[in-house]
Amino acid sequence: MKRIGVYICHCGTNIASTVDCESLVLFSKSLPGVKIARDYRYLCSDPGQELIKKDITDFSLEGVVIAACSPRMHETTFRYLLKAAGLNPYCLNMANIREQCSWVHQDKNEATEKANRLLQAAVARVLRQKALEGKKVEMKPSILVVGAGIAGIQAALTIASEGTKVVLVERAPFIGGHMAQLDKTFPTLDCASCIFTPKTVEVARNKNIELHVCSEVVEVKGYVGNFNVSIKKYPTYVDPFRCTGCGECIEACVLKKGVASEFEERMVNRKAIYIAFPQAVPLKAVIDPQACLFLSRGKCKKSCMEACKAQAINFEQKEELIEKEVGAIILATGYDLFDPHLLPQFGFGVYENVLTNLQFERLLSPSGPTRGEILLKDGTTPKAIAFLHCIGSRDENANTYCSRVCCMVSMKQAHLAKEKTGSEVFEFYIDINAFGKGYQEFYKRVREEGIFFIRGKGSEVFKREGRLVVAAEDTLLGTPIEIPVDMVVLGAGLSARRDAEKVAQVFGINQSPDRFFMEAHPKLRPVATSVDGIFLAGCCQGPKDIPDTVAQASAAAAEALSLVTRGEIEVEPITSWIDPELCSGCKLCVEICPTSAIQFIEAKRISSVNEALCKGCGACAAICPSKAARQNHFTQDQVLAEVEELAE
Amino acid sequence: MKIDPKTFTRDYNLHVCIQCGTCTGGCPVKFRSPLNMRRLVRQTYFAPDPSLFRRPEWWACTTCSTCTLRCPAGVKNVELILGVRNYLANQGEVPSTIRDALENTLLHGNPWGRFRDRRIDWAKDLEIKIIGEETAENLLFIGCAPSYDPRVQSLSIALFKIFQKAGLDFGILGKKESCCGNEIRRMGEQALFRKLSMDNTNLIKKTRVKRIITISPHCYNAFKNEYPDLDLPVHHYTQVLIELIEAGRIKLTGRSETLLTYQDPCFLGKQNGIFEEPRKILRSIPGVTLIEMERSRERSLCCEGGGGRMWTEGFTEGTRNAEIRVREALHLKAKILATSCPFCLLTLEDAVKTSGLADQMVVKDIGELVGEAIDSNSNNPIPCPPAGRLQIIINDPMTLFKTNYLVD
Amino acid sequence: MKIIVCVKRVPKTAEADLFIEKEGKDIKKDNLVFALNDWDGYAIREAVRIRENYGGEVFALTVGPEDSKEVLTRCLAMGADRALRIEEPPAFDALLIAKILARAIQDHPFDLILTGVQTEDDGWGQVGVALAQLLGIPHASIVNRIEIENGKAKVKRELEGGLEELLEVKLPALFTIQTGINEPKYVSLAAILEAEEKEMREIGLEELGLTSEEPLYAILDQVSFPAAGKMAEILKGTPEEVVTQLSEIIKKKKG
């Protein structure tokens, strides 16, 4: 019989006030295998731990039971303790006599009786526990960053500066994401391009960063430290090594009307061959195969080819599939703007001078469709502009969450609009979310500039006698109002990407109810996900402004680096194992495994568990009809012994 | 049945209100009455003195439901109004005209106070099936205004003839038909509404109809959304008409080139999402060009006929919304203002008259327009005042027996 | 103030299809809608109003068949405290009804009796006045305003041509109530359902010492429609045409 030591913690008065610890000690001494039993005020403290450590040596203990708080609190602490004392950490069992006993009962006799039972069960189990060794896994020395907006760029640069290789994958033909569309950023009114162009240029220049634009990750296999990713590179029909970005092909393209430009938020059209904007990195033309007459209909005189002096255009270009092996992955896929078509009361898509905040940003931008002037669709300057807050956010009929940044965006745009046009500017708000550094001061400044703040959400936009009218209520005065303006800017919120479900599935991560990717713990683990080795950065995890995005990107980079630079990591041994002698090859476990950790080996006609992917949920052990699958540290005899003692 | 106003907060979700003002901002009577939904929600939330509920503006609401539909927090605004009206009605504290409408409904089965014996007079020259005596696949639920109001009766007759021509198997409940109760519930008489819904449901269950077709969107709303035990499909007549037109069972022939615009009724459009069918029907009438008014579809301006407003006076002031709508239509140079609700029909036509525009525009229901387009012999010159034949009956004072005035 | 109100359940006939029974003594009533007599509604409301101001009790009485209970329920919903239905004799005239009511009332002390001026069906206008005489109390008819002061009532009577007569009447007295004396309050269905819990008694004629064959002073001979004929002339046409015809007729008949 194994030699067991039992330790009962008072946890101050948390346990001791409801459970009679002394009688627990006496009771423990009567249990089979127990060589020593003690109680102590705070077992997790240094002296408490020393006590146990000394006993392990003095009494040659082979197993330890600690009756205290929930294992979620201190199991790790006590496992380290066992290791330090020379005992395998998995020879520990904890009986929860706090959360599950003293904290939920009031009668001392009953609570003590229950604690007795719990102890009895814990001892029976620990007698059957086996020493386990974690498996060591090698880390591949590179990191994949998905998405090259400001989050992806920041993460990539942080990683590259440390010396680790980065594979940076971006879906669009240019890097910079939504930030590239911005004019000035709040609250400092820095020009967005000015502050991030040095970064994008560095990304292009840095030897440690392998950039792939017009590419998407289509498959991810493997596990932490050893991910095998497949990247699909779409054909752009332009050879990037030859293209100089001169733009002659674009002039020559025969498409008269063109198609709506995504970069310009569909306000103007672009040709089939295009460069998103004049400062794009990389500055290479790409062809949209659906807009291109030759590629979609086979009929075009290909004036672009003629015009190209570098002979860079190649209609034979094919899709490429690139395979990479990386140690960690950072997702920085960004956001999509809420589509105001879904809320018809605002007249978006009906009235031409009702815009989204991002569209207005393009008007502000000097590289935008109006060269930075605020103009109505008929080319005149507006005399009154209304900014409506909370469009599609904080709304039971759209997204229920607050999009965090739109208040500041609205105020920044209002300030710039007033500066550029001198028009009357109205902000229709419910609350002002000015939470960051310098934000409240900016709000005050904007008010001082004479911009009208009306506390009342814009209820409806309609036209009367040729002018747009915003209907709302000034709730502070308690009077309904209808204000005629020339232009309405809708503060559309930030949503998860439209294909977030697909991406989550590819990487095997979870989404929060609001469709953004879910972090491992809302407070304490904001950049990790439920999958070891995959991290999140930027708006793909939730709406945030640029300072927070950059901070989170650096954090994700740091965590990814700390993982990858370790060389190897130890995987927790509470995994399952399939006995090849007993396995009948029915594959039920393969189907049921939620992390796809079990593989069926054709050659041997049996299933086998990849310990690095296994999360130890026990589903395979439960479903296996031949009892071939076993859950380490939760074997059948261990669990049944516990249950028998409890049920007695 | 004692209602405790302190339960309103929980029942109508008032505690989630963030006072954003979207409700008041979108209210169709916000400039015409002191009704301020946001303020009333907050005042009710603070467990009020019941004198709050005796303020007249609670009766100005048309129950268009724009406030509830747009509320970002999920407050049940319209239900609060109905709850307060119910609280008042149970104590007998309703405006006198509402009192009459409710008493009439209990006694005669309709708020107008007309007798049941007269409910199917409109159909006396038609070979109409009375379900109960005969069976049919479809029940055409006429409703009170289309049964009794002379202006709306022409819509009932038009629909009868259209459905007959299309070979639709349908019948009506006849004198046994009672008010659907939609407006009754909105005037606060929850108990009477329950009684009407039970009576109508039992009546309908005894027949073996497979579908209910309503003329009024108010009846449509009641049957579809508020009758608890009705398990039959319910359609508004526009949904049926477009089916028949697309299946080729109705052939529409030409009329003179006309510009026409359409008023989306609140109970059909914004509340029940039926926007396309009426438009499809109008566009399939040859010669007609449909132009949209400024505020159409979800933003359609309420005509102020709903929520019991047909039977209230004096809770609003200023230019009526119906008059604003008529002027909007005029601005578009439309000759016909079309709609698909008897209340819109009546309020808009009234507005045409009071605005002195009877020689420039007519108000017609879609059913009437389709009826005219089917009958290729009809030659309605547009514009014209509502075609009518006036009958005056001169009574000899010796006659004690009252006769009915007939103006059609 | 102990107030007694006598009410009647009557059919509503304004727009109904009317048919004479084959014996010619009455109209067919099974297809008609019944309700509380309009004048009696005002009387009940007035009684409740007086009780609210001076305290006391309102007691509603009716002589009628089983179905009459529904108008008594309504009276209770309107605020009456208790109600009594007396069985209706197979044939009756105004005086007999007054006699029955007098018998029922004689055991109940009262300060005031209110009745309607007349009913919507028979329209005799006699029961209230006859009842006052049988009880030996003063009365005033067609009353449109009541004020109570020190055991006396100051009432206004509605005369022709907008004239009013002011009377001071010592209580106990009986007043027949004219419509418009007060603003009727809405009676909700909920209130009616609640009223079904209040006290309502029913008695037969024998309990009053009467038989079902008391002598009548007025016997109904026949009910018939007025002869229809060339009394009404119907003008047809467009509004313009009709107006032309109408002005001709007016000119011919000299205004």
Side-chain angles (χ1 to χ4, degrees):
Chain A
M1 169 127 343
K2 280 218 275 217
R3 304 165 65 79
I4 310 295
V6 177
Y7 298 89
I8 288 128
C9 188
H10 289 219
C11 194
T13 51
N14 273 317
I15 294 175
S17 60
T18 321
V19 172
D20 184 347
C21 295
E22 266 120 43
S23 82
L24 233 57
V25 171
L26 268 163
F27 176 74
S28 311
K29 288 192 170 138
S30 70
L31 296 171
V34 175
K35 291 288 173 270
I36 177 74
R38 289 190 208 278
D39 63 324
Y40 190 71
R41 283 213 102 200
Y42 298 103
L43 278 174
C44 53
S45 65
D46 269 348
Q49 292 194 47
E50 275 308 311
L51 191 63
I52 302 174
K53 205 166 168 189
K54 192 161 182 303
D55 278 356
I56 291 176
T57 316
D58 290 351
F59 292 89
S60 308
L61 296 178
E62 292 162 297
V64 171
V65 170
I66 296 181
C69 51
S70 162
R72 284 179 79 85
M73 290 291 295
H74 281 302
E75 190 168 51
T76 319
T77 314
F78 293 121
R79 280 199 184 145
Y80 278 136
L81 167 64
L82 258 64
K83 200 164 178 185
L87 206 52
N88 184 286
Y90 295 93
C91 295
L92 167 77
N93 195 14
M94 282 186 77
N96 183 346
I97 58 170
R98 190 182 75 170
E99 282 87 338
Q100 289 186 5
C101 192
S102 71
W103 273 4
V104 295
H105 297 301
Q106 284 169 331
D107 183 297
K108 198 152 185 177
N109 290 330
E110 286 182 1
T112 309
E113 173 59 37
K114 178 169 172 178
N116 282 344
R117 285 286 187 90
L118 291 170
L119 257 176
Q120 207 171 345
V123 169
R125 193 190 197 287
V126 85
L127 284 171
R128 290 162 180 78
Q129 274 168 231
K130 302 240 179 326
L132 296 170
E133 290 298 332
K135 187 167 155 185
K136 295 238 188 299
V137 163
E138 197 196 292
M139 308 294 294
K140 292 273 183 314
S142 65
I143 298 176
L144 169 70
V145 176
V146 184
I150 185 64
I153 289 172
Q154 177 67 19
L157 287 175
T158 308
I159 296 167
S161 70
E162 187 272 347
T164 298
K165 297 248 181 289
V166 180
V167 177
L168 181 56
V169 174
E170 168 56 50
R171 188 158 61 178
F174 61 95
I175 61 174
H178 282 296
M179 192 169 171
Q181 293 176 293
L182 304 183
D183 172 34
K184 299 219 172 31
T185 56
F186 55 79
T188 48
L189 299 175
D190 287 313
C191 152
S193 324
C194 307
I195 56 177
F196 96 133
T197 306
K199 290 197 192 260
T200 53
V201 162
E202 174 65 23
V203 163
R205 186 205 67 82
N206 195 307
K207 294 277 177 289
N208 283 332
I209 300 179
E210 191 185 312
L211 173 63
H212 295 280
V213 293
C214 294
S215 306
E216 246 183 280
V217 175
V218 289
E219 199 179 11
V220 174
K221 290 215 272 268
Y223 48 94
V224 57
N226 296 273
F227 290 110
N228 293 322
V229 295
S230 307
I231 301 168
K232 190 185 276 192
K233 223 174 146 72
Y234 297 108
T236 61
Y237 308 101
V238 174
D239 181 347
F241 295 107
R242 288 179 177 223
C243 176
T244 59
C246 68
E248 305 265 323
C249 53
I250 300 173
E251 289 276 337
C253 176
V254 302
L255 207 61
K256 290 240 178 352
K257 230 178 76 174
V259 292
S261 162
E262 297 87 347
F263 188 79
E264 301 294 352
E265 292 295 312
R266 313 188 79 80
M267 286 198 290
V268 289
N269 286 348
R270 57 159 173 81
K271 299 278 185 80
I273 188 167
Y274 66 104
I275 295 176
F277 60 106
Q279 298 82 30
V281 171
L283 193 67
K284 311 283 176 198
V286 297
I287 298 183
D288 172 1
Q290 280 168 339
C292 172
L293 291 174
F294 179 68
L295 288 169
S296 59
R297 284 187 241 174
K299 271 193 269 194
C300 183
K301 60 183 170 161
K302 301 189 240 173
S303 327
C304 52
M305 282 187 87
E306 271 182 56
C308 180
K309 297 195 183 61
Q311 292 177 325
I313 300 180
N314 172 15
F315 285 102
E316 304 301 310
Q317 206 183 65
K318 295 269 177 285
E319 180 181 282
E320 268 182 73
L321 203 61
I322 304 174
E323 303 285 341
K324 290 275 166 198
E325 277 182 352
V326 294
I329 301 175
I330 298 178
L331 289 173
T333 50
Y335 66 89
D336 272 336
L337 204 66
F338 172 79
D339 180 4
H341 280 111
L342 297 170
L343 296 173
Q345 59 261 42
F346 299 112
F348 185 72
V350 173
Y351 302 121
E352 54 187 12
N353 289 311
V354 174
L355 314 170
T356 62
N357 40 11
L358 217 42
Q359 286 179 324
F360 190 75
E361 197 70 28
R362 291 312 303 150
L363 290 184
L364 284 170
S365 168
S367 65
T370 54
R371 295 274 171 271
E373 282 187 63
I374 306 301
L375 300 172
L376 300 172
K377 273 288 184 303
D378 64 3
T380 57
T381 310
K383 304 241 179 358
I385 306 176
F387 288 86
L388 270 47
H389 288 217
C390 298
I391 304 303
S393 304
R394 310 178 69 191
D395 192 338
E396 294 288 317
N397 304 313
N399 294 323
T400 52
Y401 54 85
C402 166
S403 286
R404 199 171 166 107
V405 303
C406 341
C407 273
M408 290 309 297
V409 169
S410 234
M411 291 200 285
K412 167 198 80 176
Q413 291 181 337
H415 160 82
L416 293 168
K418 186 124 183 121
E419 200 177 59
K420 290 198 174 187
T421 64
S423 61
E424 254 357 318
V425 176
F426 301 94
E427 293 263 328
F428 289 84
Y429 72 98
I430 311 176
D431 297 291
I432 294 292
N433 203 352
F435 58 93
K437 203 158 177 174
Y439 290 9
Q440 183 63 28
E441 294 87 334
F442 187 77
Y443 171 37
K444 180 153 186 237
R445 168 185 176 177
V446 162
R447 276 197 172 252
E448 282 166 354
E449 284 163 6
I451 288 163
F452 288 110
F453 278 78
I454 297 172
R455 197 212 168 259
K457 181 171 172 181
S459 185
E460 189 177 306
V461 175
F462 60 91
K463 239 187 188 166
R464 187 195 284 141
E465 285 154 19
R467 270 196 112 187
L468 288 174
V469 174
V470 177
E473 189 202 353
D474 183 329
T475 62
L476 297 176
L477 285 178
T479 51
I481 49 176
E482 282 179 358
I483 302 211
V485 295
D486 300 308
M487 180 187 273
V488 173
V489 181
L490 302 175
L494 273 52
S495 299
R497 288 276 185 192
R498 300 206 203 310
D499 60 350
E501 278 79 9
K502 209 178 75 171
V503 174
Q505 211 177 41
V506 167
F507 290 91
I509 57 172
N510 299 325
Q511 290 169 283
S512 311
D514 56 17
R515 294 185 62 242
F516 289 100
F517 297 143
M518 193 157 88
E519 58 291 316
H521 186 279
K523 296 214 185 354
L524 300 178
R525 299 188 66 201
V527 294
T529 62
S530 54
V531 178
D532 286 340
I534 300 186
F535 302 93
L536 301 173
C539 288
C540 66
Q541 181 260 342
K544 53 180 72 69
D545 53 7
I546 294 169
D548 287 346
T549 298
V550 169
Q552 196 181 39
S554 292
E559 289 209 17
L561 274 173
S562 96
L563 199 59
V564 154
T565 53
R566 251 179 262 181
E568 65 174 24
I569 55 164
E570 190 179 298
V571 171
E572 217 192 32
I574 303 185
T575 51
S576 66
W577 173 69
I578 298 176
D579 188 341
E581 303 285 304
L582 293 173
C583 176
S584 60
C586 71
K587 294 198 251 178
L588 279 170
C589 54
V590 176
E591 277 174 44
I592 207 177
C593 177
T595 51
S596 311
I598 307 186
Q599 263 185 319
F600 183 70
I601 305 174
E602 274 296 341
K604 294 195 201 157
R605 309 243 4 117
I606 55 167
S607 300
S608 164
V609 178
N610 176 343
E611 282 111 335
L613 279 175
C614 175
K615 286 261 165 259
C617 72
C620 52
I623 208 174
C624 178
S626 3
K627 294 274 167 284
R630 282 145 213 207
Q631 178 65 36
N632 284 335
H633 203 61
F634 287 91
T635 60
Q636 183 158 313
D637 61 332
Q638 287 167 1
V639 175
L640 283 180
E642 204 168 2
V643 171
E644 267 178 45
E645 295 300 328
L646 281 172
E648 212 177 72
Chain B
M1 204 175 301
K2 265 282 159 239
I3 296 179
D4 181 4
K6 291 199 181 54
T7 62
F8 289 161
T9 297
R10 192 196 58 221
D11 291 342
Y12 306 120
N13 241 4
L14 303 186
H15 30 228
V16 300
C17 173
I18 53 173
Q19 292 284 292
C20 70
T22 299
C23 47
T24 308
C27 176
V29 296
K30 64 180 185 267
F31 289 133
R32 298 196 4 88
S33 85
L35 177 63
N36 184 321
M37 194 67 234
R38 175 201 54 82
R39 190 193 301 134
L40 290 176
V41 166
R42 192 158 181 83
Q43 289 173 315
T44 308
Y45 170 64
F46 283 120
D49 187 282
S51 64
L52 168 67
F53 304 128
R54 294 191 175 98
R55 300 242 277 265
E57 57 254 35
W58 290 97
W59 297 98
C61 171
T62 69
T63 68
C64 72
S65 299
T66 304
C67 50
T68 300
L69 291 167
R70 284 188 195 159
C71 176
V75 177
K76 298 188 193 156
N77 293 288
V78 175
E79 294 292 324
L80 170 63
I81 301 239
L82 299 194
V84 168
R85 289 181 182 180
N86 188 14
Y87 165 75
L88 293 169
N90 279 358
Q91 294 170 128
E93 290 173 46
V94 301
S96 56
T97 46
I98 300 256
R99 168 201 71 207
D100 294 340
L102 295 174
E103 302 260 358
N104 284 333
T105 307
L106 181 59
L107 209 50
H108 298 293
N110 71 89
W112 308 104
R114 301 292 304 279
F115 278 52
R116 272 193 194 278
D117 284 343
R118 309 272 65 83
R119 196 162 179 118
I120 52 173
D121 279 358
W122 65 273
K124 65 182 183 318
D125 296 329
L126 307 171
E127 279 165 36
I128 203 147
K129 249 199 246 191
I130 306 287
I131 302 187
E133 294 163 23
E134 305 175 61
T135 59
E137 290 238 325
N138 296 289
L139 165 63
L140 180 62
F141 190 89
I142 309 294
C144 303
S147 297
Y148 293 111
D149 188 295
R151 174 63 188 88
V152 193
Q153 283 170 347
S154 57
L155 168 62
S156 312
I157 295 172
L159 282 177
F160 169 83
K161 292 188 176 151
I162 296 170
F163 288 147
Q164 199 184 44
K165 208 156 192 168
L168 194 69
D169 176 23
F170 72 103
I172 65 173
L173 288 173
K175 292 185 191 174
K176 291 214 181 99
E177 187 186 273
S178 293
C179 178
C180 66
N182 192 62
E183 295 301 288
I184 303 305
R185 180 163 179 259
R186 275 143 185 80
M187 287 189 264
E189 249 290 10
Q190 191 60 19
L192 181 52
F193 170 76
R194 261 201 296 274
K195 174 183 179 343
L196 290 166
S197 83
M198 272 195 321
D199 291 347
N200 277 330
T201 302
N202 288 336
L203 201 56
I204 293 172
K205 281 195 170 151
K206 281 206 204 92
T207 72
R208 267 165 293 137
V209 297
K210 304 233 173 58
R211 165 169 76 164
I212 303 174
I213 305 172
T214 72
I215 298 186
S216 168
H218 292 249
C219 301
Y220 174 79
N221 185 66
F223 292 141
K224 189 151 179 54
N225 300 323
E226 302 189 352
Y227 272 41
D229 293 318
L230 204 57
D231 290 319
L232 288 171
V234 183
H235 285 153
H236 182 251
Y237 81 81
T238 49
Q239 296 174 299
V240 178
L241 275 190
I242 193 60
E243 260 175 39
L244 297 173
I245 291 174
E246 285 175 352
R249 283 162 75 175
I250 306 176
K251 301 259 185 309
L252 302 174
T253 56
R255 58 183 299 143
S256 45
E257 296 293 319
T258 324
L259 209 53
L260 168 162
T261 189
Y262 174 64
Q263 154 89 347
D264 287 283
C266 295
F267 277 86
L268 194 65
K270 58 172 72 84
Q271 288 191 37
N272 284 295
I274 299 178
F275 300 108
E276 280 312 316
E277 289 89 329
R279 286 171 169 79
K280 281 195 201 162
I281 297 172
L282 289 170
R283 279 191 213 112
S284 42
I285 302 178
V288 146
T289 308
L290 169 64
I291 43 174
E292 297 278 359
M293 281 192 280
E294 248 327 297
R295 280 178 281 188
S296 64
R297 291 173 183 265
E298 290 91 346
R299 293 174 302 131
S300 180
L301 185 62
C302 177
C303 74
E304 295 187 79
R309 290 288 308 277
M310 270 297 182
W311 297 278
T312 57
E313 265 308 326
F315 294 105
T316 54
E317 52 182 34
T319 313
R320 292 171 197 254
N321 284 357
E323 287 170 5
I324 295 175
R325 277 315 236 177
V326 160
R327 292 213 171 271
E328 274 180 40
L330 188 72
H331 186 68
L332 293 172
K333 302 207 188 346
K335 293 281 178 269
I336 304 179
L337 175 48
T339 185
S340 46
C341 169
F343 285 3
C344 288
L345 183 64
L346 291 171
T347 53
L348 291 174
E349 194 167 272
D350 238 21
V352 164
K353 291 188 192 140
T354 57
S355 307
L357 296 170
D359 55 344
Q360 292 180 56
M361 188 186 307
V362 285
V363 180
K364 292 259 177 179
D365 200 292
I366 290 186
E368 295 174 310
L369 291 170
V370 170
E372 285 165 17
I374 288 184
D375 181 2
S376 48
N377 288 327
S378 105
N379 189 17
N380 251 327
I382 301 292
C384 72
R389 299 191 154 270
L390 195 65
Q391 291 180 288
I392 298 179
I393 303 165
I394 301 175
N395 265 338
D396 188 296
M398 295 306 289
T399 314
L400 297 167
F401 194 59
K402 275 191 244 161
T403 50
N404 296 319
Y405 287 113
L406 289 163
V407 176
D408 66 0
Chain C
M1 291 281 307
K2 287 203 190 325
I3 313 168
I4 295 179
V5 185
C6 304
V7 302
K8 188 181 180 191
R9 174 181 181 262
V10 297
K12 297 283 179 185
T13 54
E15 264 190 326
D17 293 330
L18 296 174
F19 308 96
I20 313 278
E21 280 205 325
K22 65 173 190 279
E23 276 133 53
K25 298 247 192 263
D26 205 350
I27 54 166
K28 276 210 166 113
K29 294 190 180 155
D30 39 4
N31 65 317
L32 296 178
V33 166
F34 283 76
L36 177 64
N37 181 37
D38 208 15
W39 283 270
D40 299 347
Y42 283 95
I44 287 275
R45 175 106 180 92
E46 193 62 21
V48 170
R49 191 189 69 76
I50 294 174
R51 185 201 62 203
E52 277 166 6
N53 284 336
Y54 300 99
E57 171 196 80
V58 175
F59 178 21
L61 283 168
T62 192
V63 179
E66 175 93 24
D67 290 334
S68 293
K69 277 161 54 180
E70 76 186 12
V71 303
L72 288 180
T73 306
R74 191 175 177 86
C75 294
L76 292 168
M78 287 169 79
D81 299 290
R82 54 197 181 97
L84 172 68
R85 176 182 81 85
I86 305 153
E87 195 193 306
E88 180 183 78
F92 52 84
D93 59 17
L95 194 51
L96 177 56
I97 296 292
K99 207 154 68 167
I100 295 172
L101 287 170
R103 286 284 178 98
I105 289 171
Q106 69 191 18
D107 296 322
H108 296 269
F110 60 87
D111 299 298
L112 187 58
I113 302 180
L114 300 182
T115 72
V117 167
Q118 64 192 70
T119 58
E120 293 167 50
D121 51 5
D122 299 318
W124 294 323
Q126 302 169 13
V127 169
V129 178
L131 178 58
Q133 178 63 16
L134 288 173
L135 292 173
I137 56 174
H139 81 276
S141 59
I142 320 177
V143 166
N144 65 8
R145 191 172 163 76
I146 303 179
E147 266 166 43
I148 314 278
E149 233 178 72
N150 307 326
K152 287 202 252 235
K154 281 207 170 92
V155 301
K156 276 206 189 131
R157 291 188 62 235
E158 189 183 274
L159 303 179
E160 297 284 314
L163 289 176
E164 287 183 329
E165 185 182 82
L166 188 59
L167 296 178
E168 194 179 85
V169 185
K170 253 202 265 201
L171 297 179
L174 180 148
F175 302 129
T176 76
I177 301 298
Q178 176 62 299
T179 56
I181 188 174
N182 53 44
E183 185 65 31
K185 204 173 167 193
Y186 176 59
V187 187
S188 67
L189 191 54
I192 292 175
L193 293 171
E194 252 180 64
E196 282 170 358
E197 315 287 314
K198 282 190 181 172
E199 179 198 321
M200 189 192 317
R201 286 180 52 231
E202 298 169 77
I203 55 173
L205 294 170
E206 324 79 59
E207 288 170 64
L208 296 175
L210 295 166
T211 71
S212 51
E213 275 157 23
E214 296 292 322
L216 298 177
Y217 288 86
I219 297 171
L220 182 72
D221 181 42
Q222 186 203 46
V223 171
S224 63
F225 285 123
K230 304 175 186 79
M231 299 293 180
E233 185 182 339
I234 298 181
L235 306 178
K236 286 203 170 108
T238 65
E240 289 84 3
E241 291 165 4
V242 167
V243 165
T244 313
Q245 292 176 53
L246 190 57
S247 43
E248 295 290 307
I249 295 170
I250 292 171
K251 262 192 241 155
K252 247 194 267 173
K253 298 214 165 161
K254 305 243 188 312

